[in-house]
Every structure is written in structure tokens, then in C-alpha cells.
Amino acid sequence: MSRRPVGDYQHNNMLQFWWSRIFEQPIIGRLDYYCRLDTDPLLKAPSPVVIFHIMRVGHYVYGYRVGSRDSVAVTDGMWDCVDTYMRKLPSTAAHAKQNGWLLAATGDRNVTDIETYYNRFEVVDIKAFRDNSELQKFTKEVEWTNYIYNRGWGDAPLRFVASQLFFLVATEVKQFCELL
């Protein structure tokens, strides 16, 4: 199975930053939301402030533009980690099934890729992610595997998994089609 080279630390550091380290930055604690906007999305909103208004009024904890899938080459072992965590904390499995997350509902180990958010545009309610103790335990479990570095696990599928396990997607996750 192909894996990202272990020496590709700059890329892996970026993945680690967006998965968890961003919440440790001192300035983040003073904000309600952050918006990640990489180079390829084109924002059509009259002002970026509109995005934060939509998030606040809708009580959303996560916003994204489009769903995607990541290859097993960069998610190898992720399902096992998630499954182990869901067994430790059954409420997360119930949450995932309530969200209709097929992988959690079927337990299918033969998947060739994992659902993800294409998170080159994302809006995150900082407190919802940083202050959720169960999500923080999951974050530490992911970090303990060191698979972000050893297997190239990306922040996008991890963010998708977190939304499925810890939030109600129908009411707490917003797809921004109209502004991008």
C-alpha cells in the first residue's frame, strides 16, 4: 500500500496543525470561529462576515463547501481507530448511525476510500471543537497512533469523522453551496 513518505514532515505538520494544533494557538481562544480558505476556492459572499453570521444564526458548528472521498492510501487504519473509539464510547456509534454515516452503520471493512469534507474551505466553531471533552479524547487517540505522520492521515477525513461522531450533521453542519 502506498504511503506518504515519512520524511514529508512539512505536509504532515500542516495536516496535524489543521486537525488539532490550531485549537492550541493563543489567538484562537479569543475567537468564536475560524474560516480556512485555501487558494483554490472563490468566495462569492459580499463579505466574509456573512459566513460567520450564517454560522451563528444557524447554530452550526462546522461549515464546508463539498464532500469528497480520500483513498485508502492516506486513510489506512483510520476505520480501525474509529471503530475502537466507538466501542469505547458507544454514544459515538449511535451518533454516527443517527447521522446516517454508512461506514459506521455497516461496519464494512472492505471500503476502498473514506468520506471526507473537501476542507480547503471550512468554518469551525472553535468552542464546539476545542471544549468537547469526548472529541478531545478522540483527538488524543488519533495523535497517539502517530498515523498523521506514519500513514499520512489527513485532517479532512478526520474532520469528517469527528462531525459524524460528535455532532448532529443535519442541524449542526452547514454546506455552503451558495457562497462559493
Side-chain angles (χ1 to χ4, degrees):
M1 183 165 302
S2 84
R3 294 193 177 133
R4 187 175 310 288
V6 173
D8 193 1
Y9 289 112
Q10 290 176 337
H11 182 80
N12 293 348
N13 282 337
M14 182 268 304
L15 297 173
Q16 182 73 53
F17 175 80
W18 286 114
W19 165 239
S20 62
R21 300 290 186 251
I22 188 166
F23 300 107
E24 299 169 3
Q25 304 307 307
I27 194 169
I28 289 294
R30 299 190 306 245
L31 304 174
D32 294 327
Y33 301 94
Y34 77 77
C35 178
R36 175 180 178 181
L37 187 63
D38 286 356
T39 58
D40 56 337
L42 176 62
L43 185 61
K44 296 177 186 173
S47 165
V49 175
V50 170
I51 294 167
F52 300 119
H53 176 74
I54 291 169
M55 292 290 289
R56 179 169 283 120
V57 169
H59 304 285
Y60 298 114
V61 298
Y62 186 75
Y64 69 102
R65 167 61 180 92
V66 67
S68 186
R69 300 188 80 75
D70 258 359
S71 162
V72 72
V74 293
T75 58
D76 181 35
M78 191 177 291
W79 171 244
D80 290 332
C81 179
V82 171
D83 187 49
T84 298
Y85 193 80
M86 287 191 304
R87 289 176 195 272
K88 287 181 187 177
L89 189 65
S91 64
T92 57
H95 224 155
K97 287 179 184 178
Q98 184 178 359
N99 284 328
W101 188 28
L102 184 61
L103 193 60
T106 65
D108 184 0
R109 295 294 192 281
N110 297 313
V111 295
T112 57
D113 51 12
I114 288 184
E115 295 167 281
T116 184
Y117 295 125
Y118 185 72
N119 66 348
R120 291 189 178 178
F121 167 84
E122 70 175 354
V123 187
V124 175
D125 179 326
I126 295 162
K127 289 178 181 63
F129 279 79
R130 190 194 60 206
D131 297 346
N132 182 318
S133 63
E134 293 303 330
L135 175 50
Q136 289 311 306
K137 288 177 189 174
F138 177 69
T139 298
K140 296 300 179 199
E141 190 144 327
V142 166
E143 290 176 355
W144 180 84
T145 68
N146 207 33
Y147 286 172
I148 289 174
Y149 289 92
N150 293 337
R151 296 188 181 184
W153 282 8
D155 56 301
L158 289 168
R159 189 75 75 220
F160 181 88
V161 167
S163 71
Q164 299 299 314
L165 298 181
F166 301 101
F167 303 111
L168 294 174
V169 173
T171 59
E172 295 181 293
V173 175
K174 168 73 173 153
Q175 184 176 13
F176 283 95
C177 297
E178 68 279 9
L179 300 178
L180 296 167

